[in-house]
mmCIF file of all heavy atoms in Angstrom:
data_model
loop_
_atom_site.group_PDB
_atom_site.id
_atom_site.type_symbol
_atom_site.label_atom_id
_atom_site.label_comp_id
_atom_site.label_asym_id
_atom_site.label_seq_id
_atom_site.Cartn_x
_atom_site.Cartn_y
_atom_site.Cartn_z
ATOM 1 N N ASN G 337 27.477 -47.785 -24.662
ATOM 2 C CA ASN G 337 27.407 -48.149 -23.207
ATOM 3 C C ASN G 337 26.271 -47.646 -22.487
ATOM 4 O O ASN G 337 25.723 -48.258 -21.613
ATOM 5 C CB ASN G 337 28.665 -47.740 -22.456
ATOM 6 C CG ASN G 337 30.006 -48.162 -23.144
ATOM 7 O OD1 ASN G 337 30.621 -47.354 -23.877
ATOM 8 N ND2 ASN G 337 30.334 -49.411 -22.884
ATOM 9 N N ILE G 338 25.803 -46.444 -22.924
ATOM 10 C CA ILE G 338 24.582 -45.847 -22.277
ATOM 11 C C ILE G 338 23.622 -45.551 -23.474
ATOM 12 O O ILE G 338 24.093 -44.812 -24.442
ATOM 13 C CB ILE G 338 24.962 -44.540 -21.586
ATOM 14 C CG1 ILE G 338 26.107 -44.755 -20.603
ATOM 15 C CG2 ILE G 338 23.717 -43.911 -20.900
ATOM 16 C CD1 ILE G 338 26.756 -43.476 -19.957
ATOM 17 N N LEU G 339 22.437 -45.971 -23.343
ATOM 18 C CA LEU G 339 21.469 -45.780 -24.252
ATOM 19 C C LEU G 339 20.277 -45.038 -23.647
ATOM 20 O O LEU G 339 19.663 -45.600 -22.620
ATOM 21 C CB LEU G 339 20.894 -47.090 -24.885
ATOM 22 C CG LEU G 339 19.697 -47.024 -25.896
ATOM 23 C CD1 LEU G 339 20.145 -46.172 -27.132
ATOM 24 C CD2 LEU G 339 19.229 -48.400 -26.334
ATOM 25 N N TYR G 340 19.880 -43.919 -24.189
ATOM 26 C CA TYR G 340 18.850 -43.021 -23.511
ATOM 27 C C TYR G 340 17.824 -42.740 -24.634
ATOM 28 O O TYR G 340 17.996 -42.094 -25.669
ATOM 29 C CB TYR G 340 19.567 -41.728 -23.144
ATOM 30 C CG TYR G 340 18.737 -40.832 -22.181
ATOM 31 C CD1 TYR G 340 17.717 -41.310 -21.271
ATOM 32 C CD2 TYR G 340 19.063 -39.450 -22.225
ATOM 33 C CE1 TYR G 340 16.989 -40.415 -20.583
ATOM 34 C CE2 TYR G 340 18.299 -38.644 -21.502
ATOM 35 C CZ TYR G 340 17.282 -39.062 -20.657
ATOM 36 O OH TYR G 340 16.716 -38.294 -19.816
ATOM 37 N N THR G 341 16.706 -43.402 -24.418
ATOM 38 C CA THR G 341 15.500 -43.255 -25.488
ATOM 39 C C THR G 341 14.183 -43.055 -24.809
ATOM 40 O O THR G 341 14.089 -42.870 -23.618
ATOM 41 C CB THR G 341 15.723 -44.400 -26.360
ATOM 42 O OG1 THR G 341 14.778 -44.138 -27.518
ATOM 43 C CG2 THR G 341 15.150 -45.707 -25.797
ATOM 44 N N ALA G 342 13.086 -43.086 -25.659
ATOM 45 C CA ALA G 342 11.775 -42.812 -25.151
ATOM 46 C C ALA G 342 10.931 -44.014 -25.042
ATOM 47 O O ALA G 342 11.060 -44.806 -26.042
ATOM 48 C CB ALA G 342 11.144 -41.666 -25.995
ATOM 49 N N PRO G 343 9.901 -44.052 -24.281
ATOM 50 C CA PRO G 343 9.051 -45.206 -24.192
ATOM 51 C C PRO G 343 8.238 -45.360 -25.452
ATOM 52 O O PRO G 343 8.111 -46.573 -25.911
ATOM 53 C CB PRO G 343 8.098 -44.798 -23.104
ATOM 54 C CG PRO G 343 8.822 -43.970 -22.183
ATOM 55 C CD PRO G 343 9.717 -43.218 -23.089
ATOM 56 N N THR G 344 7.986 -44.355 -26.246
ATOM 57 C CA THR G 344 7.343 -44.486 -27.451
ATOM 58 C C THR G 344 8.125 -45.280 -28.545
ATOM 59 O O THR G 344 7.694 -46.201 -29.224
ATOM 60 C CB THR G 344 6.837 -43.221 -28.117
ATOM 61 O OG1 THR G 344 6.085 -43.316 -29.092
ATOM 62 C CG2 THR G 344 7.959 -42.164 -28.512
ATOM 63 N N ALA G 345 9.466 -45.042 -28.452
ATOM 64 C CA ALA G 345 10.363 -45.800 -29.422
ATOM 65 C C ALA G 345 10.449 -47.261 -28.959
ATOM 66 O O ALA G 345 10.392 -48.089 -29.833
ATOM 67 C CB ALA G 345 11.777 -45.248 -29.324
ATOM 68 N N ILE G 346 10.523 -47.476 -27.545
ATOM 69 C CA ILE G 346 10.539 -48.859 -27.211
ATOM 70 C C ILE G 346 9.298 -49.541 -27.546
ATOM 71 O O ILE G 346 9.296 -50.750 -28.084
ATOM 72 C CB ILE G 346 10.718 -48.863 -25.560
ATOM 73 C CG1 ILE G 346 12.011 -48.204 -25.209
ATOM 74 C CG2 ILE G 346 10.724 -50.309 -25.104
ATOM 75 C CD1 ILE G 346 12.078 -47.816 -23.742
ATOM 76 N N ARG G 347 8.095 -48.907 -27.279
ATOM 77 C CA ARG G 347 6.802 -49.646 -27.650
ATOM 78 C C ARG G 347 6.712 -49.854 -29.136
ATOM 79 O O ARG G 347 6.390 -51.038 -29.638
ATOM 80 C CB ARG G 347 5.649 -48.792 -27.241
ATOM 81 C CG ARG G 347 5.483 -48.802 -25.712
ATOM 82 C CD ARG G 347 4.060 -48.150 -25.386
ATOM 83 N NE ARG G 347 4.084 -46.759 -25.839
ATOM 84 C CZ ARG G 347 4.280 -45.696 -25.065
ATOM 85 N NH1 ARG G 347 4.585 -45.897 -23.746
ATOM 86 N NH2 ARG G 347 4.287 -44.456 -25.541
ATOM 87 N N SER G 348 7.295 -48.983 -29.967
ATOM 88 C CA SER G 348 7.145 -49.225 -31.421
ATOM 89 C C SER G 348 8.070 -50.380 -31.695
ATOM 90 O O SER G 348 7.723 -51.184 -32.639
ATOM 91 C CB SER G 348 7.372 -47.861 -32.182
ATOM 92 O OG SER G 348 8.437 -47.933 -32.995
ATOM 93 N N LEU G 349 9.252 -50.388 -31.205
ATOM 94 C CA LEU G 349 10.247 -51.452 -31.624
ATOM 95 C C LEU G 349 9.732 -52.823 -31.132
ATOM 96 O O LEU G 349 9.889 -53.878 -31.719
ATOM 97 C CB LEU G 349 11.675 -51.172 -31.160
ATOM 98 C CG LEU G 349 12.229 -49.967 -31.884
ATOM 99 C CD1 LEU G 349 13.526 -49.509 -31.277
ATOM 100 C CD2 LEU G 349 12.208 -50.022 -33.324
ATOM 101 N N MET G 350 9.168 -52.807 -29.860
ATOM 102 C CA MET G 350 8.511 -53.995 -29.328
ATOM 103 C C MET G 350 7.548 -54.703 -30.363
ATOM 104 O O MET G 350 7.553 -55.997 -30.437
ATOM 105 C CB MET G 350 7.699 -53.685 -28.212
ATOM 106 C CG MET G 350 8.311 -53.854 -26.846
ATOM 107 S SD MET G 350 7.232 -53.001 -25.562
ATOM 108 C CE MET G 350 5.978 -54.151 -25.329
ATOM 109 N N GLY G 351 6.886 -53.919 -31.153
ATOM 110 C CA GLY G 351 5.812 -54.374 -31.985
ATOM 111 C C GLY G 351 6.570 -55.223 -33.188
ATOM 112 O O GLY G 351 5.822 -55.932 -33.872
ATOM 113 N N PHE G 352 7.883 -55.051 -33.354
ATOM 114 C CA PHE G 352 8.444 -55.824 -34.507
ATOM 115 C C PHE G 352 8.947 -57.087 -33.813
ATOM 116 O O PHE G 352 9.520 -57.922 -34.707
ATOM 117 C CB PHE G 352 9.568 -54.944 -35.003
ATOM 118 C CG PHE G 352 9.161 -53.897 -35.801
ATOM 119 C CD1 PHE G 352 9.010 -52.660 -35.183
ATOM 120 C CD2 PHE G 352 8.926 -53.882 -37.187
ATOM 121 C CE1 PHE G 352 8.525 -51.436 -35.879
ATOM 122 C CE2 PHE G 352 8.482 -52.898 -37.817
ATOM 123 C CZ PHE G 352 8.365 -51.614 -37.248
ATOM 124 N N GLY G 353 8.754 -57.416 -32.623
ATOM 125 C CA GLY G 353 9.166 -58.727 -32.084
ATOM 126 C C GLY G 353 10.713 -58.865 -31.898
ATOM 127 O O GLY G 353 11.434 -57.773 -31.861
ATOM 128 N N LEU G 354 11.172 -60.005 -31.835
ATOM 129 C CA LEU G 354 12.660 -60.128 -31.424
ATOM 130 C C LEU G 354 13.499 -60.343 -32.558
ATOM 131 O O LEU G 354 14.841 -60.286 -32.412
ATOM 132 C CB LEU G 354 12.702 -61.183 -30.282
ATOM 133 C CG LEU G 354 12.044 -61.118 -29.138
ATOM 134 C CD1 LEU G 354 12.185 -62.297 -28.163
ATOM 135 C CD2 LEU G 354 12.558 -59.845 -28.373
ATOM 136 N N GLN G 355 12.846 -60.479 -33.795
ATOM 137 C CA GLN G 355 13.753 -60.842 -34.978
ATOM 138 C C GLN G 355 14.816 -59.798 -35.237
ATOM 139 O O GLN G 355 16.002 -59.978 -35.467
ATOM 140 C CB GLN G 355 12.905 -60.995 -36.061
ATOM 141 C CG GLN G 355 13.472 -61.709 -37.349
ATOM 142 C CD GLN G 355 14.226 -60.638 -38.141
ATOM 143 O OE1 GLN G 355 13.642 -59.519 -38.225
ATOM 144 N NE2 GLN G 355 15.499 -61.019 -38.782
ATOM 145 N N PRO G 356 14.434 -58.446 -35.049
ATOM 146 C CA PRO G 356 15.338 -57.419 -35.375
ATOM 147 C C PRO G 356 16.595 -57.364 -34.309
ATOM 148 O O PRO G 356 17.622 -56.772 -34.645
ATOM 149 C CB PRO G 356 14.620 -56.182 -35.278
ATOM 150 C CG PRO G 356 13.156 -56.491 -35.429
ATOM 151 C CD PRO G 356 13.088 -57.875 -34.943
ATOM 152 N N LEU G 357 16.529 -58.085 -33.251
ATOM 153 C CA LEU G 357 17.586 -58.252 -32.326
ATOM 154 C C LEU G 357 18.493 -59.324 -32.618
ATOM 155 O O LEU G 357 19.666 -59.365 -32.124
ATOM 156 C CB LEU G 357 17.048 -58.387 -30.971
ATOM 157 C CG LEU G 357 16.322 -57.227 -30.157
ATOM 158 C CD1 LEU G 357 15.468 -57.719 -29.126
ATOM 159 C CD2 LEU G 357 17.460 -56.265 -29.782
ATOM 160 N N GLU G 358 18.229 -60.272 -33.523
ATOM 161 C CA GLU G 358 19.053 -61.320 -33.715
ATOM 162 C C GLU G 358 20.354 -61.074 -34.443
ATOM 163 O O GLU G 358 20.455 -60.248 -35.340
ATOM 164 C CB GLU G 358 18.322 -62.347 -34.675
ATOM 165 C CG GLU G 358 17.283 -63.317 -33.976
ATOM 166 C CD GLU G 358 16.327 -64.077 -34.946
ATOM 167 O OE1 GLU G 358 16.594 -64.277 -36.080
ATOM 168 O OE2 GLU G 358 15.198 -64.242 -34.518
ATOM 169 N N GLY G 359 21.351 -61.549 -33.768
ATOM 170 C CA GLY G 359 22.724 -61.369 -34.319
ATOM 171 C C GLY G 359 23.294 -60.047 -33.845
ATOM 172 O O GLY G 359 24.380 -59.659 -34.325
ATOM 173 N N LYS G 360 22.674 -59.192 -33.145
ATOM 174 C CA LYS G 360 23.074 -58.018 -32.676
ATOM 175 C C LYS G 360 23.749 -58.161 -31.336
ATOM 176 O O LYS G 360 23.163 -58.709 -30.405
ATOM 177 C CB LYS G 360 21.982 -57.056 -32.525
ATOM 178 C CG LYS G 360 21.063 -56.858 -33.750
ATOM 179 C CD LYS G 360 21.754 -56.322 -34.988
ATOM 180 C CE LYS G 360 20.975 -56.700 -36.310
ATOM 181 N NZ LYS G 360 19.730 -56.009 -36.514
ATOM 182 N N ASP G 361 25.094 -57.682 -31.343
ATOM 183 C CA ASP G 361 25.718 -57.750 -29.999
ATOM 184 C C ASP G 361 25.488 -56.558 -29.135
ATOM 185 O O ASP G 361 25.914 -55.473 -29.476
ATOM 186 C CB ASP G 361 27.233 -57.927 -30.202
ATOM 187 C CG ASP G 361 27.953 -58.005 -28.878
ATOM 188 O OD1 ASP G 361 27.378 -58.112 -27.816
ATOM 189 O OD2 ASP G 361 29.278 -58.019 -29.046
#
Side-chain angles (χ1 to χ4, degrees):
N337 306 98
I338 306 169
L339 174 67
Y340 191 28
T341 192
T344 187
I346 300 168
R347 285 190 301 264
S348 122
L349 295 176
M350 266 167 73
F352 292 89
L354 297 178
Q355 194 276 327
L357 286 161
E358 276 169 26
K360 314 288 160 75
D361 178 8

